[in-house]
Amino acid sequence: MSFSGEVKEELVKLENDARHCQIAELAAILVYSGALRADDQGIRCIEIPSDTPLVASRCLMLFEKLQLMSNTALSDAQRQCRLFLDKNDISVIKKVQQVIKDKEGDNLVNPLVIKSLCCKRAFLRGAFLSIGSMSNPEKGYHLEYVCSDIQQAKQLVGTLLFYDIHAKVVARKKYQVVYLKESEEIVELLNVMGAHISLMNLENLRILKDMRNAINRKVNCEAANITKTVNAASKQIDDIQYIKEHYGFDNLADHLRQMAELRLEYPDATLKELGEYLTPKVGKSGVNHRLRKLSELAGKIRNS
């Protein structure tokens, strides 16, 4: 199962004890996944695509808890989960309609339904179950809600801001996509929605990812330093060999001759190790100074 699927599976198992939070979550599901419809016989129903079984089961559970459901049916031909409402029970229909703004062309959750912070949490949870998804955090951090219009996107963005989560919106074909790319804000959203197990899994993955990146940076840095040291030693040896062949060690000052002989004897030694071999011992800066003097001398001999 994908990480996104694991988050949703965890969310559908959460219990909303407060009735107002149940209404808020159901409102999000009705707006983002379903619609209040009338079939050929004029019977009102909620239709949810059955290719989203987690959403359908969550919706069924909420209807049962809120005692808003008359009966249900699943149409394989239309791939719809149909929640039928008694056409004579006007009060039930009104209760369902109350969770959506009663304004033509305005397919939003009623702001009164998500007035409290706990209901906003439930709303975000229902919206994620309906239209949310999240990429594999091992590959990258990306969480999004795919809204049908800009007004729905603005309502989501505004709700997320209550938790200091700054989402962005981008148009994708006929949809408006609300998305997060910062791992810290994705973690905060998982916490807000109540997906605490997924949050811990994400944090563990993030720690491992950060550790791997830190190790890779250290290895790359050490490899670069080794390459730099090897290249420098190779040039030093070339310069010293040139001096030996075209100038002679006998013409060198004692401290430079000793340095040249040690570098040829220990071609893989570090500057610190070379300094330990000298008598008396010399620090890294002193060794580096002598080797630089030898390189300068080799350059002069080549140019003479």
Side-chain angles (χ1 to χ4, degrees):
M1 180 181 292
S2 67
F3 190 86
S4 186
E6 291 175 1
V7 174
K8 292 186 178 184
E9 192 172 65
E10 180 182 0
L11 292 178
V12 298
K13 294 177 182 178
L14 294 179
E15 290 288 338
N16 278 338
D17 295 328
R19 181 178 175 84
H20 48 82
C21 291
Q22 294 170 359
I23 292 174
E25 185 175 341
L26 179 61
I29 293 176
L30 293 179
V31 168
Y32 293 114
S33 287
L36 188 64
R37 301 179 184 274
D39 64 10
D40 296 337
Q41 288 77 39
I43 299 176
R44 294 276 185 168
C45 68
I46 299 293
E47 289 187 348
I48 301 174
S50 60
D51 57 358
T52 56
L54 291 176
V55 178
S57 63
R58 186 68 172 178
C59 191
L60 284 170
M61 182 272 288
L62 291 171
F63 262 75
E64 289 172 353
K65 284 183 174 292
L66 293 168
Q67 299 179 341
L68 296 176
M69 182 177 63
S70 293
N71 56 76
T72 64
L74 180 62
S75 171
D76 290 333
Q78 296 181 352
R79 299 297 295 167
Q80 296 288 320
C81 175
R82 315 193 87 188
L83 311 179
F84 288 101
L85 306 175
D86 190 338
K87 63 180 178 181
N88 297 317
D89 191 350
I90 303 300
S91 63
V92 172
I93 295 174
K94 285 185 176 180
K95 285 179 182 178
V96 175
Q97 288 175 322
Q98 283 174 359
V99 301
I100 303 176
K101 289 184 71 175
D102 189 16
K103 183 178 178 183
E104 187 177 354
D106 209 356
N107 194 24
L108 297 173
V109 172
N110 191 328
L112 294 177
V113 173
I114 54 174
K115 190 173 181 180
S116 64
L117 284 176
C118 61
C119 291
K120 285 181 172 63
R121 292 174 183 269
F123 164 75
L124 291 171
R125 180 164 56 249
F128 184 81
L129 285 171
S130 304
I131 56 167
S133 64
M134 182 177 170
S135 64
N136 184 347
E138 291 184 357
K139 297 180 180 178
Y141 303 113
H142 183 88
L143 184 148
E144 66 180 32
Y145 295 87
V146 182
C147 305
S148 61
D149 58 59
I150 190 63
Q151 294 305 319
Q152 287 186 355
K154 287 181 177 179
Q155 186 173 47
L156 270 172
V157 170
T159 306
L160 289 166
L161 278 174
F162 275 91
Y163 302 97
D164 201 29
I165 299 173
H166 300 81
K168 296 181 180 179
V169 182
V170 64
R172 185 187 297 163
K173 296 183 180 179
K174 63 178 182 178
Y175 301 103
Q176 297 293 323
V177 180
V178 178
Y179 69 93
L180 301 171
K181 281 189 171 295
E182 296 296 328
S183 60
E184 292 81 4
E185 294 196 320
I186 293 175
V187 166
E188 179 60 24
L189 178 55
L190 292 177
N191 181 52
V192 167
M193 294 191 298
H196 300 123
I197 295 175
S198 298
L199 185 156
M200 293 303 298
N201 290 337
L202 174 59
E203 287 286 46
N204 288 336
L205 288 171
R206 188 166 65 157
I207 291 170
L208 288 174
K209 189 175 181 180
D210 289 345
M211 287 179 61
R212 283 198 297 265
N213 289 339
I215 291 171
N216 287 337
R217 284 194 297 269
K218 186 174 181 179
V219 169
N220 291 337
C221 182
E222 289 179 352
N225 288 336
I226 291 171
T227 300
K228 183 178 179 181
T229 300
V230 170
N231 290 339
S234 178
K235 184 179 183 304
Q236 292 162 5
I237 291 171
D238 288 343
D239 289 339
I240 292 171
Q241 287 285 12
Y242 192 85
I243 292 173
K244 183 178 182 180
E245 295 173 4
H246 297 85
Y247 187 74
F249 283 176
D250 293 340
N251 295 318
L252 294 174
D254 289 343
H255 67 288
L256 292 181
R257 177 176 53 77
Q258 187 182 19
M259 185 75 261
E261 290 173 346
L262 276 175
R263 173 45 90 193
L264 292 181
E265 185 177 356
Y266 302 103
D268 298 325
T270 64
L271 298 183
K272 182 179 179 180
E273 290 170 342
L274 289 174
E276 294 291 328
Y277 294 141
L278 290 170
T279 305
K281 296 180 180 180
V282 177
K284 287 173 59 178
S285 60
V287 172
N288 187 54
H289 175 74
R290 296 183 185 187
L291 289 171
R292 190 169 60 250
K293 286 290 186 180
L294 289 169
S295 293
E296 290 173 359
L297 177 59
K300 291 179 181 178
I301 297 172
R302 288 189 179 98
N303 294 329
S304 62

PDB file of all heavy atoms in Angstrom, residues 227-258:
ATOM      1  N   THR A 227      41.115  13.081  -2.974  1.00  0.00           N
ATOM      2  CA  THR A 227      41.528  13.361  -4.359  1.00  0.00           C
ATOM      3  C   THR A 227      42.455  14.561  -4.416  1.00  0.00           C
ATOM      4  O   THR A 227      43.475  14.556  -5.130  1.00  0.00           O
ATOM      5  CB  THR A 227      40.290  13.621  -5.237  1.00  0.00           C
ATOM      6  OG1 THR A 227      39.456  12.462  -5.221  1.00  0.00           O
ATOM      7  CG2 THR A 227      40.692  13.927  -6.680  1.00  0.00           C
ATOM      8  N   LYS A 228      42.086  15.606  -3.649  1.00  0.00           N
ATOM      9  CA  LYS A 228      42.917  16.813  -3.612  1.00  0.00           C
ATOM     10  C   LYS A 228      44.304  16.505  -3.042  1.00  0.00           C
ATOM     11  O   LYS A 228      45.327  16.975  -3.575  1.00  0.00           O
ATOM     12  CB  LYS A 228      42.213  17.871  -2.759  1.00  0.00           C
ATOM     13  CG  LYS A 228      42.938  19.206  -2.702  1.00  0.00           C
ATOM     14  CD  LYS A 228      42.149  20.205  -1.871  1.00  0.00           C
ATOM     15  CE  LYS A 228      42.884  21.533  -1.788  1.00  0.00           C
ATOM     16  NZ  LYS A 228      42.128  22.509  -0.944  1.00  0.00           N
ATOM     17  N   THR A 229      44.342  15.698  -1.971  1.00  0.00           N
ATOM     18  CA  THR A 229      45.616  15.347  -1.341  1.00  0.00           C
ATOM     19  C   THR A 229      46.486  14.511  -2.276  1.00  0.00           C
ATOM     20  O   THR A 229      47.703  14.739  -2.403  1.00  0.00           O
ATOM     21  CB  THR A 229      45.357  14.555  -0.040  1.00  0.00           C
ATOM     22  OG1 THR A 229      44.591  15.366   0.857  1.00  0.00           O
ATOM     23  CG2 THR A 229      46.658  14.157   0.625  1.00  0.00           C
ATOM     24  N   VAL A 230      45.846  13.532  -2.965  1.00  0.00           N
ATOM     25  CA  VAL A 230      46.581  12.662  -3.898  1.00  0.00           C
ATOM     26  C   VAL A 230      47.153  13.476  -5.046  1.00  0.00           C
ATOM     27  O   VAL A 230      48.321  13.296  -5.449  1.00  0.00           O
ATOM     28  CB  VAL A 230      45.663  11.543  -4.418  1.00  0.00           C
ATOM     29  CG1 VAL A 230      46.336  10.796  -5.573  1.00  0.00           C
ATOM     30  CG2 VAL A 230      45.306  10.576  -3.297  1.00  0.00           C
ATOM     31  N   ASN A 231      46.344  14.382  -5.584  1.00  0.00           N
ATOM     32  CA  ASN A 231      46.806  15.216  -6.707  1.00  0.00           C
ATOM     33  C   ASN A 231      47.963  16.119  -6.284  1.00  0.00           C
ATOM     34  O   ASN A 231      48.940  16.305  -7.031  1.00  0.00           O
ATOM     35  CB  ASN A 231      45.652  16.062  -7.244  1.00  0.00           C
ATOM     36  CG  ASN A 231      44.604  15.220  -7.955  1.00  0.00           C
ATOM     37  OD1 ASN A 231      44.886  14.101  -8.388  1.00  0.00           O
ATOM     38  ND2 ASN A 231      43.404  15.750  -8.087  1.00  0.00           N
ATOM     39  N   ALA A 232      47.839  16.668  -5.055  1.00  0.00           N
ATOM     40  CA  ALA A 232      48.906  17.543  -4.562  1.00  0.00           C
ATOM     41  C   ALA A 232      50.195  16.751  -4.353  1.00  0.00           C
ATOM     42  O   ALA A 232      51.293  17.201  -4.734  1.00  0.00           O
ATOM     43  CB  ALA A 232      48.473  18.201  -3.254  1.00  0.00           C
ATOM     44  N   ALA A 233      50.085  15.551  -3.765  1.00  0.00           N
ATOM     45  CA  ALA A 233      51.261  14.716  -3.534  1.00  0.00           C
ATOM     46  C   ALA A 233      51.894  14.302  -4.851  1.00  0.00           C
ATOM     47  O   ALA A 233      53.140  14.254  -4.980  1.00  0.00           O
ATOM     48  CB  ALA A 233      50.871  13.480  -2.726  1.00  0.00           C
ATOM     49  N   SER A 234      51.071  13.992  -5.845  1.00  0.00           N
ATOM     50  CA  SER A 234      51.590  13.583  -7.148  1.00  0.00           C
ATOM     51  C   SER A 234      52.395  14.706  -7.788  1.00  0.00           C
ATOM     52  O   SER A 234      53.474  14.481  -8.358  1.00  0.00           O
ATOM     53  CB  SER A 234      50.427  13.175  -8.060  1.00  0.00           C
ATOM     54  OG  SER A 234      50.894  12.820  -9.347  1.00  0.00           O
ATOM     55  N   LYS A 235      51.875  15.947  -7.680  1.00  0.00           N
ATOM     56  CA  LYS A 235      52.593  17.088  -8.248  1.00  0.00           C
ATOM     57  C   LYS A 235      53.898  17.340  -7.493  1.00  0.00           C
ATOM     58  O   LYS A 235      54.941  17.658  -8.096  1.00  0.00           O
ATOM     59  CB  LYS A 235      51.711  18.341  -8.199  1.00  0.00           C
ATOM     60  CG  LYS A 235      52.369  19.556  -8.875  1.00  0.00           C
ATOM     61  CD  LYS A 235      51.472  20.757  -8.824  1.00  0.00           C
ATOM     62  CE  LYS A 235      52.120  21.922  -9.563  1.00  0.00           C
ATOM     63  NZ  LYS A 235      53.452  22.273  -9.077  1.00  0.00           N
ATOM     64  N   GLN A 236      53.838  17.200  -6.172  1.00  0.00           N
ATOM     65  CA  GLN A 236      55.051  17.390  -5.373  1.00  0.00           C
ATOM     66  C   GLN A 236      56.137  16.392  -5.778  1.00  0.00           C
ATOM     67  O   GLN A 236      57.316  16.757  -5.932  1.00  0.00           O
ATOM     68  CB  GLN A 236      54.718  17.220  -3.880  1.00  0.00           C
ATOM     69  CG  GLN A 236      53.831  18.310  -3.318  1.00  0.00           C
ATOM     70  CD  GLN A 236      53.184  17.905  -2.008  1.00  0.00           C
ATOM     71  OE1 GLN A 236      53.467  16.830  -1.470  1.00  0.00           O
ATOM     72  NE2 GLN A 236      52.301  18.773  -1.484  1.00  0.00           N
ATOM     73  N   ILE A 237      55.749  15.136  -5.976  1.00  0.00           N
ATOM     74  CA  ILE A 237      56.712  14.099  -6.356  1.00  0.00           C
ATOM     75  C   ILE A 237      57.295  14.389  -7.745  1.00  0.00           C
ATOM     76  O   ILE A 237      58.501  14.231  -7.978  1.00  0.00           O
ATOM     77  CB  ILE A 237      56.046  12.712  -6.318  1.00  0.00           C
ATOM     78  CG1 ILE A 237      55.733  12.336  -4.862  1.00  0.00           C
ATOM     79  CG2 ILE A 237      56.939  11.659  -6.965  1.00  0.00           C
ATOM     80  CD1 ILE A 237      54.891  11.096  -4.718  1.00  0.00           C
ATOM     81  N   ASP A 238      56.423  14.829  -8.672  1.00  0.00           N
ATOM     82  CA  ASP A 238      56.914  15.181 -10.011  1.00  0.00           C
ATOM     83  C   ASP A 238      57.941  16.313  -9.936  1.00  0.00           C
ATOM     84  O   ASP A 238      58.984  16.267 -10.628  1.00  0.00           O
ATOM     85  CB  ASP A 238      55.740  15.605 -10.911  1.00  0.00           C
ATOM     86  CG  ASP A 238      54.876  14.426 -11.310  1.00  0.00           C
ATOM     87  OD1 ASP A 238      55.341  13.275 -11.183  1.00  0.00           O
ATOM     88  OD2 ASP A 238      53.724  14.659 -11.746  1.00  0.00           O
ATOM     89  N   ASP A 239      57.650  17.313  -9.119  1.00  0.00           N
ATOM     90  CA  ASP A 239      58.569  18.455  -8.987  1.00  0.00           C
ATOM     91  C   ASP A 239      59.899  18.019  -8.363  1.00  0.00           C
ATOM     92  O   ASP A 239      60.979  18.441  -8.807  1.00  0.00           O
ATOM     93  CB  ASP A 239      57.927  19.546  -8.121  1.00  0.00           C
ATOM     94  CG  ASP A 239      56.787  20.249  -8.833  1.00  0.00           C
ATOM     95  OD1 ASP A 239      56.744  20.193 -10.085  1.00  0.00           O
ATOM     96  OD2 ASP A 239      55.931  20.859  -8.158  1.00  0.00           O
ATOM     97  N   ILE A 240      59.787  17.167  -7.345  1.00  0.00           N
ATOM     98  CA  ILE A 240      61.019  16.705  -6.664  1.00  0.00           C
ATOM     99  C   ILE A 240      61.855  15.830  -7.598  1.00  0.00           C
ATOM    100  O   ILE A 240      63.093  15.953  -7.639  1.00  0.00           O
ATOM    101  CB  ILE A 240      60.650  15.952  -5.374  1.00  0.00           C
ATOM    102  CG1 ILE A 240      60.059  16.934  -4.351  1.00  0.00           C
ATOM    103  CG2 ILE A 240      61.868  15.247  -4.781  1.00  0.00           C
ATOM    104  CD1 ILE A 240      59.463  16.272  -3.121  1.00  0.00           C
ATOM    105  N   GLN A 241      61.228  14.978  -8.387  1.00  0.00           N
ATOM    106  CA  GLN A 241      61.953  14.151  -9.356  1.00  0.00           C
ATOM    107  C   GLN A 241      62.646  15.029 -10.395  1.00  0.00           C
ATOM    108  O   GLN A 241      63.777  14.759 -10.803  1.00  0.00           O
ATOM    109  CB  GLN A 241      60.983  13.185 -10.056  1.00  0.00           C
ATOM    110  CG  GLN A 241      60.504  12.042  -9.183  1.00  0.00           C
ATOM    111  CD  GLN A 241      61.571  10.972  -8.985  1.00  0.00           C
ATOM    112  OE1 GLN A 241      62.743  11.161  -9.309  1.00  0.00           O
ATOM    113  NE2 GLN A 241      61.168   9.847  -8.415  1.00  0.00           N
ATOM    114  N   TYR A 242      61.963  16.083 -10.797  1.00  0.00           N
ATOM    115  CA  TYR A 242      62.559  16.993 -11.793  1.00  0.00           C
ATOM    116  C   TYR A 242      63.788  17.690 -11.191  1.00  0.00           C
ATOM    117  O   TYR A 242      64.819  17.854 -11.864  1.00  0.00           O
ATOM    118  CB  TYR A 242      61.521  18.026 -12.232  1.00  0.00           C
ATOM    119  CG  TYR A 242      61.929  18.810 -13.449  1.00  0.00           C
ATOM    120  CD1 TYR A 242      61.694  18.318 -14.726  1.00  0.00           C
ATOM    121  CD2 TYR A 242      62.586  20.047 -13.321  1.00  0.00           C
ATOM    122  CE1 TYR A 242      62.090  19.026 -15.854  1.00  0.00           C
ATOM    123  CE2 TYR A 242      62.981  20.761 -14.427  1.00  0.00           C
ATOM    124  CZ  TYR A 242      62.728  20.254 -15.693  1.00  0.00           C
ATOM    125  OH  TYR A 242      63.120  20.952 -16.815  1.00  0.00           O
ATOM    126  N   ILE A 243      63.671  18.125  -9.932  1.00  0.00           N
ATOM    127  CA  ILE A 243      64.812  18.761  -9.259  1.00  0.00           C
ATOM    128  C   ILE A 243      65.977  17.776  -9.150  1.00  0.00           C
ATOM    129  O   ILE A 243      67.141  18.131  -9.395  1.00  0.00           O
ATOM    130  CB  ILE A 243      64.388  19.257  -7.853  1.00  0.00           C
ATOM    131  CG1 ILE A 243      63.397  20.416  -7.973  1.00  0.00           C
ATOM    132  CG2 ILE A 243      65.623  19.695  -7.043  1.00  0.00           C
ATOM    133  CD1 ILE A 243      62.795  20.842  -6.642  1.00  0.00           C
ATOM    134  N   LYS A 244      65.673  16.536  -8.790  1.00  0.00           N
ATOM    135  CA  LYS A 244      66.714  15.520  -8.629  1.00  0.00           C
ATOM    136  C   LYS A 244      67.449  15.286  -9.932  1.00  0.00           C
ATOM    137  O   LYS A 244      68.693  15.142  -9.934  1.00  0.00           O
ATOM    138  CB  LYS A 244      66.081  14.224  -8.134  1.00  0.00           C
ATOM    139  CG  LYS A 244      67.071  13.110  -7.852  1.00  0.00           C
ATOM    140  CD  LYS A 244      66.364  11.878  -7.313  1.00  0.00           C
ATOM    141  CE  LYS A 244      67.347  10.768  -6.968  1.00  0.00           C
ATOM    142  NZ  LYS A 244      66.658   9.559  -6.441  1.00  0.00           N
ATOM    143  N   GLU A 245      66.734  15.255 -11.039  1.00  0.00           N
ATOM    144  CA  GLU A 245      67.324  14.951 -12.333  1.00  0.00           C
ATOM    145  C   GLU A 245      68.014  16.148 -12.966  1.00  0.00           C
ATOM    146  O   GLU A 245      69.011  15.992 -13.692  1.00  0.00           O
ATOM    147  CB  GLU A 245      66.254  14.420 -13.288  1.00  0.00           C
ATOM    148  CG  GLU A 245      65.656  13.077 -12.838  1.00  0.00           C
ATOM    149  CD  GLU A 245      64.470  12.653 -13.697  1.00  0.00           C
ATOM    150  OE1 GLU A 245      64.167  13.367 -14.676  1.00  0.00           O
ATOM    151  OE2 GLU A 245      63.829  11.629 -13.372  1.00  0.00           O
ATOM    152  N   HIS A 246      67.492  17.359 -12.731  1.00  0.00           N
ATOM    153  CA  HIS A 246      68.018  18.536 -13.429  1.00  0.00           C
ATOM    154  C   HIS A 246      68.744  19.527 -12.523  1.00  0.00           C
ATOM    155  O   HIS A 246      69.301  20.520 -13.009  1.00  0.00           O
ATOM    156  CB  HIS A 246      66.874  19.275 -14.140  1.00  0.00           C
ATOM    157  CG  HIS A 246      66.205  18.467 -15.207  1.00  0.00           C
ATOM    158  ND1 HIS A 246      65.179  17.574 -14.944  1.00  0.00           N
ATOM    159  CD2 HIS A 246      66.435  18.398 -16.547  1.00  0.00           C
ATOM    160  CE1 HIS A 246      64.786  17.003 -16.070  1.00  0.00           C
ATOM    161  NE2 HIS A 246      65.540  17.474 -17.063  1.00  0.00           N
ATOM    162  N   TYR A 247      68.770  19.271 -11.245  1.00  0.00           N
ATOM    163  CA  TYR A 247      69.432  20.215 -10.326  1.00  0.00           C
ATOM    164  C   TYR A 247      70.275  19.482  -9.294  1.00  0.00           C
ATOM    165  O   TYR A 247      71.403  19.903  -8.988  1.00  0.00           O
ATOM    166  CB  TYR A 247      68.351  21.061  -9.627  1.00  0.00           C
ATOM    167  CG  TYR A 247      68.889  22.187  -8.785  1.00  0.00           C
ATOM    168  CD1 TYR A 247      69.406  23.341  -9.367  1.00  0.00           C
ATOM    169  CD2 TYR A 247      68.846  22.109  -7.382  1.00  0.00           C
ATOM    170  CE1 TYR A 247      69.879  24.386  -8.596  1.00  0.00           C
ATOM    171  CE2 TYR A 247      69.306  23.142  -6.590  1.00  0.00           C
ATOM    172  CZ  TYR A 247      69.825  24.289  -7.207  1.00  0.00           C
ATOM    173  OH  TYR A 247      70.301  25.321  -6.425  1.00  0.00           O
ATOM    174  N   GLY A 248      69.777  18.359  -8.810  1.00  0.00           N
ATOM    175  CA  GLY A 248      70.514  17.550  -7.832  1.00  0.00           C
ATOM    176  C   GLY A 248      70.194  17.920  -6.396  1.00  0.00           C
ATOM    177  O   GLY A 248      70.080  19.108  -6.076  1.00  0.00           O
ATOM    178  N   PHE A 249      70.054  16.912  -5.563  1.00  0.00           N
ATOM    179  CA  PHE A 249      69.733  17.161  -4.163  1.00  0.00           C
ATOM    180  C   PHE A 249      70.899  17.804  -3.412  1.00  0.00           C
ATOM    181  O   PHE A 249      70.705  18.483  -2.401  1.00  0.00           O
ATOM    182  CB  PHE A 249      69.348  15.849  -3.469  1.00  0.00           C
ATOM    183  CG  PHE A 249      67.960  15.373  -3.792  1.00  0.00           C
ATOM    184  CD1 PHE A 249      67.497  14.148  -3.296  1.00  0.00           C
ATOM    185  CD2 PHE A 249      67.098  16.138  -4.588  1.00  0.00           C
ATOM    186  CE1 PHE A 249      66.226  13.700  -3.580  1.00  0.00           C
ATOM    187  CE2 PHE A 249      65.821  15.691  -4.873  1.00  0.00           C
ATOM    188  CZ  PHE A 249      65.375  14.465  -4.380  1.00  0.00           C
ATOM    189  N   ASP A 250      72.142  17.581  -3.900  1.00  0.00           N
ATOM    190  CA  ASP A 250      73.302  18.126  -3.197  1.00  0.00           C
ATOM    191  C   ASP A 250      73.309  19.641  -3.207  1.00  0.00           C
ATOM    192  O   ASP A 250      73.966  20.268  -2.358  1.00  0.00           O
ATOM    193  CB  ASP A 250      74.600  17.618  -3.849  1.00  0.00           C
ATOM    194  CG  ASP A 250      74.771  16.114  -3.640  1.00  0.00           C
ATOM    195  OD1 ASP A 250      74.124  15.580  -2.696  1.00  0.00           O
ATOM    196  OD2 ASP A 250      75.510  15.488  -4.414  1.00  0.00           O
ATOM    197  N   ASN A 251      72.594  20.230  -4.175  1.00  0.00           N
ATOM    198  CA  ASN A 251      72.541  21.689  -4.272  1.00  0.00           C
ATOM    199  C   ASN A 251      71.430  22.297  -3.403  1.00  0.00           C
ATOM    200  O   ASN A 251      71.279  23.521  -3.370  1.00  0.00           O
ATOM    201  CB  ASN A 251      72.324  22.116  -5.718  1.00  0.00           C
ATOM    202  CG  ASN A 251      73.490  21.736  -6.600  1.00  0.00           C
ATOM    203  OD1 ASN A 251      74.660  21.893  -6.197  1.00  0.00           O
ATOM    204  ND2 ASN A 251      73.213  21.213  -7.788  1.00  0.00           N
ATOM    205  N   LEU A 252      70.650  21.449  -2.758  1.00  0.00           N
ATOM    206  CA  LEU A 252      69.558  21.945  -1.918  1.00  0.00           C
ATOM    207  C   LEU A 252      70.029  22.225  -0.505  1.00  0.00           C
ATOM    208  O   LEU A 252      70.980  21.602  -0.020  1.00  0.00           O
ATOM    209  CB  LEU A 252      68.426  20.896  -1.850  1.00  0.00           C
ATOM    210  CG  LEU A 252      67.668  20.595  -3.148  1.00  0.00           C
ATOM    211  CD1 LEU A 252      66.688  19.435  -2.921  1.00  0.00           C
ATOM    212  CD2 LEU A 252      66.914  21.831  -3.650  1.00  0.00           C
ATOM    213  N   ALA A 253      69.364  23.154   0.146  1.00  0.00           N
ATOM    214  CA  ALA A 253      69.607  23.396   1.576  1.00  0.00           C
ATOM    215  C   ALA A 253      69.217  22.133   2.336  1.00  0.00           C
ATOM    216  O   ALA A 253      68.373  21.351   1.881  1.00  0.00           O
ATOM    217  CB  ALA A 253      68.783  24.594   2.044  1.00  0.00           C
ATOM    218  N   ASP A 254      69.846  21.918   3.478  1.00  0.00           N
ATOM    219  CA  ASP A 254      69.628  20.673   4.220  1.00  0.00           C
ATOM    220  C   ASP A 254      68.142  20.419   4.510  1.00  0.00           C
ATOM    221  O   ASP A 254      67.659  19.287   4.368  1.00  0.00           O
ATOM    222  CB  ASP A 254      70.410  20.702   5.533  1.00  0.00           C
ATOM    223  CG  ASP A 254      71.917  20.580   5.305  1.00  0.00           C
ATOM    224  OD1 ASP A 254      72.300  20.154   4.194  1.00  0.00           O
ATOM    225  OD2 ASP A 254      72.678  20.894   6.243  1.00  0.00           O
ATOM    226  N   HIS A 255      67.393  21.451   4.948  1.00  0.00           N
ATOM    227  CA  HIS A 255      65.988  21.232   5.317  1.00  0.00           C
ATOM    228  C   HIS A 255      65.131  20.893   4.094  1.00  0.00           C
ATOM    229  O   HIS A 255      64.198  20.105   4.183  1.00  0.00           O
ATOM    230  CB  HIS A 255      65.425  22.450   6.056  1.00  0.00           C
ATOM    231  CG  HIS A 255      65.310  23.683   5.212  1.00  0.00           C
ATOM    232  ND1 HIS A 255      66.406  24.426   4.804  1.00  0.00           N
ATOM    233  CD2 HIS A 255      64.218  24.306   4.693  1.00  0.00           C
ATOM    234  CE1 HIS A 255      66.010  25.460   4.098  1.00  0.00           C
ATOM    235  NE2 HIS A 255      64.678  25.409   4.004  1.00  0.00           N
ATOM    236  N   LEU A 256      65.506  21.459   2.900  1.00  0.00           N
ATOM    237  CA  LEU A 256      64.750  21.139   1.684  1.00  0.00           C
ATOM    238  C   LEU A 256      65.126  19.760   1.146  1.00  0.00           C
ATOM    239  O   LEU A 256      64.274  19.023   0.649  1.00  0.00           O
ATOM    240  CB  LEU A 256      65.010  22.208   0.616  1.00  0.00           C
ATOM    241  CG  LEU A 256      64.443  23.606   0.913  1.00  0.00           C
ATOM    242  CD1 LEU A 256      64.760  24.561  -0.238  1.00  0.00           C
ATOM    243  CD2 LEU A 256      62.929  23.554   1.149  1.00  0.00           C
ATOM    244  N   ARG A 257      66.438  19.419   1.265  1.00  0.00           N
ATOM    245  CA  ARG A 257      66.865  18.088   0.808  1.00  0.00           C
ATOM    246  C   ARG A 257      66.208  16.994   1.638  1.00  0.00           C
ATOM    247  O   ARG A 257      65.738  15.992   1.107  1.00  0.00           O
ATOM    248  CB  ARG A 257      68.392  17.987   0.915  1.00  0.00           C
ATOM    249  CG  ARG A 257      68.928  16.593   0.537  1.00  0.00           C
ATOM    250  CD  ARG A 257      70.449  16.586   0.578  1.00  0.00           C
ATOM    251  NE  ARG A 257      70.950  17.078   1.849  1.00  0.00           N
ATOM    252  CZ  ARG A 257      70.963  16.375   2.976  1.00  0.00           C
ATOM    253  NH1 ARG A 257      70.482  15.133   2.996  1.00  0.00           N
ATOM    254  NH2 ARG A 257      71.442  16.897   4.086  1.00  0.00           N
ATOM    255  N   GLN A 258      66.193  17.196   2.960  1.00  0.00           N
ATOM    256  CA  GLN A 258      65.558  16.212   3.842  1.00  0.00           C
ATOM    257  C   GLN A 258      64.075  16.056   3.496  1.00  0.00           C
ATOM    258  O   GLN A 258      63.548  14.944   3.445  1.00  0.00           O
ATOM    259  CB  GLN A 258      65.711  16.653   5.310  1.00  0.00           C
ATOM    260  CG  GLN A 258      65.234  15.611   6.319  1.00  0.00           C
ATOM    261  CD  GLN A 258      65.354  16.110   7.752  1.00  0.00           C
ATOM    262  OE1 GLN A 258      65.447  17.306   8.006  1.00  0.00           O
ATOM    263  NE2 GLN A 258      65.344  15.173   8.693  1.00  0.00           N
TER     264      GLN A 258
END
